[in-house]
Every structure is written in C-alpha cells, then in structure tokens.
C-alpha cells in the first residue's frame, strides 16, 4: 500500500534526524547505501544544480511618459528621462511643481513609452524651433503655449482635435522627431543595470478613431543598436492595428530583435478593443486572430484611467466588480457608452469571448496575460494611495486638484474629473534575474501579473495531480514547475475523471495592507458557444468560512479612519495560500482560470488629500479602496 506525500516527508525528516545522531564514522559506514539514493534523485548532492525556473518577482512600470510626450510637455511636465530613471531607482527628486518626491522602494524596471504621434513637438515649442514657427499650425500652437496655463491647455486641446477628429499631423514633414528617438535610446541603455535595474525602450501608438481608444504600447527587448534601426510608428502612418502588427513583424525580420504590442484602456474604446470583428468591421478571420494572439500577448488592465477587469453589468454576482470604473464614454468625451459596448471592453469578458472565437476559428485572439501600469505623464511613477503625485503636472498634490477635467466633455454626464483618477498600477514578472531579456521574456510567456499599485506577491500553478499537502511543501515552487504550469501556461491531456487542481500562494506588500481573500475566477464556453463565469473564494482571512457555493459572504470589515486617512492591519492576514480543485470541470469545455487577491480596505488617495490639506472628501469617489492583484490566466483546452 502506497504512502501519502505527508508520510513520505515525515519519513525523510525522520531519516535526517537519525543520521544526525550518528557519529561521522557511522555516517561513512552508510556511504555505500546512501550514494545510490542521491544519484537516483538528481545525480548531484545539491538540489539546486541546474535549477532554471523563475524564482524572483520584479515590480515595475511599462507605460510611462516624460516631458517628451506632447500631452505631458505641453501641459507643464518639465521632468526628463534622466529624472524618471532616477526616481524609479529610488532617488529623491523635485517634482514638476517643486515638491520633493521619492518612492517607498525602488522599482525593478521601467519602460519609457513616449507617444509616437507629435513626438518632438513639445521640445520644439520650448526651444522655439524655427521649423515649428514657420508652420501655420505650429505658430498657432506656439502662441497658445506661451500664453500661460490656459493657453497650454488650449494648445493641447488643438492637438487632440487634430488627432482624434481631423486625423492629420500638420507637423509630419518638419522632421521634429528625427533626433528625439535616436537621442533617447542611448540614455535608456545608459541606465540599464543588469541585475539591479532594467530599462526598456518603447513607444505608444495612439490610435483614437472618432475619439474611441485603441492605443497600444510597443515594447522592445533590444538595445539601442537594434532599436535605432526603426522609428516609432504613428497612427497617421498606420491607422489599423494590423498595420502595427506588420510593423512589429518587419522589425523582427529585419533586425533579429523582439517586440510586442500591449492594448490598454479598452474601457474607453466604446466597444472596439475586444470586438468579435476585425477593425474593418468584417467577421474575424483565423489569420487575423492568429496575428493578434502573436503580437499582443498581454493586456494592460489597470492604470490611471480606471480598472478594466470587469463591470457590474457584466458580472452581477461579483461584489468586487465596481472598482475604479470609468464607464460613461469614450476617450475624447464625445460619445456616450451604451450597455452593449461593455462586453467588448473588459478583460474578463474578452477572455471569455476569446474562448468562443477559439472554438469557432481554431485560434484564440484574446489569449492574453494581465499587467498594470501608471500611465504617468509626469515622469514620476507613483502608484501608492499615500504617495499619489497625479498623472499630469497640474494634478500633482494641491488642495484644489480634485475637480480638474481629465476627460472634458460638452455633455456633463461624459466628464471625468481628477478625483476619479486611479493611483494604479504596477506590473510584476517572475524571472530568474533582473535583466531586459528576462523581463521581456516573462511578458511573452505571460508569467506576469497586474496590481493596482501595491506590491502584492502571488504565485499560482495549475496541474492534474496536486494535493492539499503540496501547498505547504518546502519545495512548493519546484514542485509547481515540475508537476504543473505557472500563470500564463496551458493545461492539456486531462486524465479520465480528473479535474484541474491549483496551488496558490499570496503575501501582502510588506509596506502595505493585509490580505482579505484570494479568489479564482473561472471562465468557460459550453458546446453551444455560450460563455460563463464563476468566482470561487479559495482562501479567506480571519478565520471566516467558505460556504458550499464556494463563496465567503462575510466582508472583512474596515479599520480605516477617514479623518486621519489611516488604517491598521489588525484585520486580514499577511499571507494566504490554498489548494483548490475545480468542482465543476467538464473536459469537453475550454476554460481559463486566473487569481484575484484582495487587500483589506485602506484610505483612497483622495482621502489622504482631504486629511493632508484639510479639505472635504470628494463625493464623486469612495473614500476607501481595496487594492488587488490579478494574475495572468492558466488555460485549459480540450483535445482535438
């Protein structure tokens, strides 16, 4: 009769204890018997020889702007790429409004992703570039820019209209961007410090047809020698996502380098980002689905402009769905959102749609991992609620920053104000070391996850044979890789009568809030093509119980003091772990599983402002927030 894993481990521990009781001569007497045991196990005494799996988590920001971007430099950002890297490395700097700022801990990586569109215009304005002044539109923008803050905002609005309404770049022939890219790349390499701090080059493709957001962040794996062989692609040259994917393919073919594109703010696309059709409106083809899956392995699902995991109308059984939600209109504030658009704007519904399209086309176009960013336009990557420095120069800390327009609109119902900005977010990757290649490769294999600003640490493995003992194993991670797949992986070859089993481990940010609960979100598609979702609580804090329906309906409570904008970790747990098996698994149905980790409530950044500046709490947003982490999914696909 076979022994359980627990019994086997106890036996091993007992053997070690017995050996320690013997003298050295006794141990040598056993040498002939022990050596074959060692050889049978690994061939080497050290269990770490040849270990190659990712064993450290790195946190960083992959969507980030400095004064070089038109929508930063035009509206007051004065900080440079050098300032950005210095503060990201943990140094104290002086902000755009003259305030000292420093991160609680350095980031591990940072990508500079200036807008490809109008690149160089902000620099030309500040330098009174004669090429700009000799251009009719350029002269008008220049005069506005030099007419104070209101004038700068008017110049910014004019450029936005050129891009989103007229679709023209009157400065394209001036060559303003020619030197910006080639000057920027060596600086990015200069700050790259393998093993300590990673820098990545990239840009933002800022396509906004009729004001609907279809933006992508392009990230490169390569150094300046390789990336300098191309220029950032603007939507003026390539007004279709397929043309961006063609650019990436041409880059890789011509340089031997690597690049990906990452969509963001689907929540402001008014139903375009995760459509079941191609951009031209025709039904999606297998070729189109394959290209999207190839070039867009990740989705940026949380940042300044809201969280886009799901929406209360899409997930009515999810009490945590209404989180930092921006759902009134498109990016330009010119078109309202209607309920039928929502299913094509949120990550969870897109992942479900991907299963259905994969069933129909043979390729899943929305098989993406998840990460978060700040989308800061200040050159300051702050993501904590208690250290929020805004996303634009005029929204850095001040008593009156709550009611500025972020999305101005003629219709007040479509207006978004500063108080609704989210302090989010960060990207976490599992890697072997902190290098450019390791960070990029973690993204492409989707072994990455999003947080809404905290540095929550979370791992998940899926397999067919895990049991409850495994979550407590000293070699939990090695076991996970050996017998299963990590986040971003695929489960295949379902055993007869088996079901997916998951090992999850989560730990709080050491400088943050305790954890409320760990959940597994399952999505699946049935034989008729109908998609479904279900939430399972797999670990909860404070001794609360999980019911037969897989949910803990008891809220964790709150320790937040709104007057002082403080909280205590007297509730919640510092870490949570779980072994969970899908109780409703059907091997004929394609599915995905991702982990959501929730913190206990803490004061939102607007509440910190109210306490610091002695002002009333804004009524447009909740006073507290439950920050969270979302892992990339693990997918299951039926055979054949």
């Amino acid at each position: 009769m076979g022994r359980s894993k627990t019994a086997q481990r106890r036996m091993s521990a007992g053997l070690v204890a017995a050996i320690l009781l013997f003298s050295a001569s006794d141990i040598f007497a056993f040498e002939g018997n022990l050596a074959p045991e060692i050889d049978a196990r690994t061939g080497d005494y050290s269990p770490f020889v040849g270990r190659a799996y990712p064993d450290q988590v790195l946190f960083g920001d992959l969507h980030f702007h400095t004064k070089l971007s038109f929508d930063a430099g035009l509206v007051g950002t004065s900080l440079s790429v050098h300032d950005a890297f210095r503060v990201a490395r943990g140094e104290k700097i002086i902000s755009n409004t003259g305030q000292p700022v420093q991160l609680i801990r350095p980031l591990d990586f940072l990508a500079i992703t200036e807008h490809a569109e109008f690149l160089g215009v902000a620099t030309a304005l500040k330098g009174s570039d004669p090429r700009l002044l000799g251009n009719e539109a350029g002269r008008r923008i220049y005069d506005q820019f030099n007419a104070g803050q209101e004038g700068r905002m008017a110049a910014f609005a004019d450029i936005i209209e050129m891009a989103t309404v007229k679709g023209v770049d009157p400065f394209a022939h001036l060559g303003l961007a020619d030197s910006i890219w080639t000057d920027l790349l060596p600086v990015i390499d200069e700050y790259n410090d393998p093993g300590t701090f990673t820098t990545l080059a990239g840009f933002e493709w800022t396509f906004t047809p009729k004001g609907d957001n279809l933006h992508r962040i392009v990230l490169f794996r390569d150094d300046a020698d390789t990336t300098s062989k191309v220029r950032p692609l603007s939507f003026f040259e390539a007004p279709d996502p397929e043309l961006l994917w063609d650019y990436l393919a041409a880059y890789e073919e011509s340089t031997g380098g690597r690049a990906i594109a990452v969509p963001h703010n689907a929540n402001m696309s008014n139903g375009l980002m995760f459509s079941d059709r191609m951009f031209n409106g025709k039904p999606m083809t297998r070729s189109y689905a394959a290209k999207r899956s190839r070039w867009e392995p990740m989705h940026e699902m949380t940042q300044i402009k809201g969280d886009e995991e799901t929406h209360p109308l899409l997930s009515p059984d999810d009490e945590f769905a209404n989180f930092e939600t921006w759902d009134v209109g498109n990016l330009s504030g010119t078109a309202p959102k209607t309920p039928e658009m929502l299913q094509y704007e949120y990550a969870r519904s897109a992942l479900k749609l991907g299963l259905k399209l994969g069933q129909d086309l043979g390729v899943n176009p929305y098989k993406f991992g998840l990460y978060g960013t700040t989308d800061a336009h200040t050159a300051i990557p702050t993501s904590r609620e208690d250290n929020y420095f805004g996303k634009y120069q005029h929204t850095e800390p001040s008593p009156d920053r709550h009611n500025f327009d972020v999305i101005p609109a003629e219709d007040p119902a479509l207006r978004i104000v500063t108080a609704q900005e989210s302090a989010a977010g960060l990207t976490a990757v599992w890697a072997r070391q902190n290098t450019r290649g390791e960070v990029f490769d973690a993204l492409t294999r989707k072994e990455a996850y999003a947080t809404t600003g905290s540095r929550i640490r979370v791992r998940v493995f899926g397999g067919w044979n895990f049991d409850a003992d495994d979550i407590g194993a000293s070699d939990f991670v090695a076991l996970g890789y050996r017998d299963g797949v990590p986040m971003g992986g695929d489960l295949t070859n379902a055993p007869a009568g088996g079901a997916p089993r998951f090992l999850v481990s989560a730990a709080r940010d050491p400088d943050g809030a305790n954890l409320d609960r760990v959940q597994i979100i399952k999505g699946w598609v049935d034989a008729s093509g109908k998609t479904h979702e279900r939430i399972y609580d797999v670990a909860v804090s404070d001794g609360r119980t999980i019911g037969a329906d897989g949910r803990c309906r008891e809220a964790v409570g709150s320790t937040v003091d709104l007057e002082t904008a403080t909280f205590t970790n007297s509730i919640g747990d510092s870490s949570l772990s779980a072994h969970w098996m899908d109780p409703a698994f059907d091997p004929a149905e394609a599915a995905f599983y991702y982990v959501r980790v929730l913190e206990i409530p803490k004061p939102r950044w607007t509440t910190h402002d109210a306490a610091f500046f002695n002002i009333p709490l804004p009524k447009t947003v909740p006073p507290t927030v439950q920050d969270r982490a979302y892992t990339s999914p693990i997918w299951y696909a039926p055979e054949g």
Side-chain angles (χ1 to χ4, degrees):
M1 188 173 179
R3 295 185 178 89
S4 70
K5 292 183 181 180
T6 300
Q8 290 171 357
R9 291 191 184 111
R10 286 172 179 163
M11 244 183 111
S12 297
L15 177 60
V16 171
I19 289 174
L20 292 175
L21 293 174
F22 286 110
S23 67
S25 60
D26 291 325
I27 293 175
F28 291 135
F30 277 93
E31 185 176 3
N33 294 327
L34 289 176
E37 251 328 280
I38 295 171
D39 290 340
R41 185 186 64 197
T42 63
D44 294 293
Y45 179 82
S46 173
F48 311 116
V49 172
R51 186 175 73 172
Y53 58 75
D55 56 3
Q56 58 179 299
V57 65
L58 307 173
F59 290 94
D61 192 357
L62 295 171
H63 181 176
F64 189 79
H65 303 273
T66 73
K67 68 178 183 179
L68 296 177
S69 284
F70 75 92
D71 58 349
L74 258 68
V75 294
T77 295
S78 58
L79 296 182
S80 69
V81 175
H82 296 278
D83 298 312
F85 285 137
R86 286 178 52 222
V87 70
R89 293 189 310 188
E91 298 177 38
K92 182 184 79 172
I93 65 168
I94 301 302
S95 79
N96 299 283
T97 53
Q99 303 178 67
V101 59
Q102 189 167 16
L103 303 184
I104 191 168
R105 279 172 284 143
L107 294 179
D108 297 304
F109 56 88
L110 182 71
I112 301 294
T113 57
E114 312 290 8
H115 292 280
E117 294 72 23
F118 305 116
L119 185 62
V121 170
T123 303
L125 285 169
K126 293 177 181 179
S128 303
D129 193 302
R131 293 172 294 176
L132 190 71
L133 299 182
N135 176 275
E136 181 181 352
R139 184 76 210 194
R140 183 180 72 253
I141 295 294
Y142 178 82
D143 290 341
Q144 291 173 325
F145 180 76
N146 286 285
Q149 180 66 24
E150 288 189 11
R152 287 197 294 271
M153 296 306 294
F156 174 65
D158 266 10
I159 288 183
I160 292 296
E161 183 180 6
M162 294 174 195
T164 62
V165 179
K166 299 177 181 178
V168 297
D169 179 5
F171 317 121
H173 64 288
L174 301 181
L176 299 178
D178 288 352
S179 62
I180 297 292
W181 182 247
T182 51
D183 289 345
L184 173 61
L185 296 176
V187 177
I188 294 172
D189 278 6
E190 174 189 341
Y191 284 92
N192 192 51
D193 185 8
T196 303
F197 182 71
T198 288
T199 65
L200 296 97
F203 64 87
E204 184 169 0
W205 179 77
T206 322
F207 189 33
T208 319
K210 298 181 181 180
D212 299 338
N213 183 84
L214 285 178
H215 298 187
R216 265 78 167 178
I217 294 299
V218 171
L219 297 170
F220 295 97
R221 189 183 193 271
D222 313 301
D223 61 15
D225 288 343
T226 304
T227 49
S228 62
K229 295 176 182 177
V230 296
R231 293 291 183 271
L233 182 74
S234 78
F235 81 82
F236 296 113
E237 309 161 75
D240 188 315
E242 276 198 274
L243 297 176
L244 176 63
W245 304 336
D246 291 343
Y247 165 89
L248 299 175
Y251 169 78
E252 291 199 354
E253 183 177 357
S254 64
T255 67
R258 297 280 307 283
I260 58 173
V262 184
H264 70 89
N265 282 123
N267 60 335
M268 309 199 79
S269 71
N270 273 15
L272 290 185
M273 186 67 84
F274 298 126
S275 175
D276 57 357
R277 294 178 171 267
M278 299 186 291
F279 178 68
N280 62 16
K282 295 180 180 179
M284 190 177 294
T285 64
R286 179 185 175 94
S287 172
Y288 187 95
K291 288 175 73 173
R292 177 148 188 170
S293 180
R294 164 65 178 85
W295 296 111
E296 299 187 357
M298 298 295 294
H299 176 60
E300 178 190 317
M301 65 176 290
T302 190
Q303 53 129 274
I304 169 187
K305 295 187 289 294
D307 189 85
E308 42 192 295
E309 182 205 9
T310 191
H311 187 279
L313 293 181
L314 299 174
S315 303
D317 295 329
D318 185 352
E319 67 270 37
F320 300 106
N322 191 19
F323 178 73
E324 299 291 311
T325 303
W326 288 27
D327 61 355
V328 297
N330 64 0
L331 184 62
S332 64
T334 56
K337 196 174 305 297
T338 55
E340 64 270 13
M341 295 175 180
L342 295 173
Q343 63 184 310
Y344 304 116
E345 295 197 328
Y346 287 84
R348 190 186 299 175
S349 53
L351 290 166
K352 292 193 296 183
L353 177 59
L355 296 179
K356 183 181 186 308
L357 291 171
Q359 189 178 79
D360 297 340
L361 301 173
V363 177
N364 181 348
Y366 301 134
K367 192 177 179 183
F368 52 72
L370 308 172
Y371 74 54
T373 73
T374 65
D375 190 12
H377 286 63
T378 57
I380 303 171
T382 55
S383 65
R384 289 174 60 94
E385 305 294 333
D386 59 359
N387 194 32
Y388 181 65
F389 261 70
K391 304 300 183 182
Y392 296 92
Q393 177 267 352
H394 59 284
T395 64
E396 289 187 1
S398 71
D400 59 350
R401 68 168 168 168
H402 297 84
N403 203 40
F404 294 145
D405 281 345
V406 178
I407 305 292
E410 292 185 9
D411 181 351
L414 304 185
R415 181 177 180 242
I416 301 289
V417 297
T418 317
Q420 293 168 269
E421 290 181 347
S422 171
L426 290 174
T427 298
V429 301
W430 284 102
R432 291 174 295 179
Q433 53 188 331
N434 189 359
T435 65
R436 189 176 286 168
E438 283 283 321
V439 171
F440 186 92
D441 293 350
L443 299 176
T444 57
R445 68 176 183 268
K446 308 180 186 75
E447 201 167 354
Y449 62 94
T451 86
T452 58
S454 297
R455 302 193 197 188
I456 301 168
R457 183 185 179 106
V458 57
R459 296 205 90 148
V460 56
F461 295 97
W464 302 109
N465 299 308
F466 296 136
D467 65 30
D469 288 340
D470 292 330
I471 195 65
S474 61
D475 57 351
F476 158 70
V477 175
L479 185 150
Y481 281 109
R482 186 181 69 236
D483 295 343
V485 297
M487 64 184 78
D490 294 287
L491 285 172
T492 57
N493 301 316
R501 300 164 182 241
F502 297 86
L503 302 178
V504 187
S505 177
R508 61 169 254 200
D509 183 330
D511 297 299
N514 272 348
L515 305 182
D516 167 8
R517 67 187 67 202
V518 175
Q519 302 175 310
I520 288 183
I521 316 295
K522 178 188 178 182
W524 72 97
V525 59
D526 63 27
S528 69
K530 185 178 180 180
T531 60
H532 309 264
E533 66 177 61
R534 187 166 176 182
I535 301 167
Y536 294 91
D537 290 312
V538 298
V540 294
S541 65
D542 298 325
R544 291 172 293 161
T545 58
I546 298 171
D549 64 348
R551 297 302 315 278
C552 173
R553 303 295 177 178
E554 182 185 353
V556 72
S558 177
T559 64
V560 174
D561 183 325
L562 297 181
E563 292 288 330
T564 60
T566 58
F567 73 100
T568 66
N569 277 322
S570 56
I571 60 173
D573 286 355
S574 60
S575 64
L576 292 169
S577 60
H579 165 267
W580 179 79
M581 182 175 70
D582 183 356
F585 176 66
D586 184 337
E589 296 175 340
F592 64 80
Y593 306 82
Y594 69 87
V595 173
R596 180 170 68 182
V597 182
L598 296 163
E599 291 182 346
I600 64 171
K602 61 188 181 186
R604 197 174 183 274
W605 72 264
T606 42
T607 303
H608 283 283
D609 269 22
F612 185 85
F613 294 113
N614 194 26
I615 57 176
L617 283 168
K619 297 180 180 180
T620 51
V621 291
T624 64
V625 64
Q626 280 189 267
D627 274 321
R628 53 201 65 189
Y630 310 106
T631 72
S632 293
I634 291 172
W635 286 267
Y636 165 75
E639 299 301 310

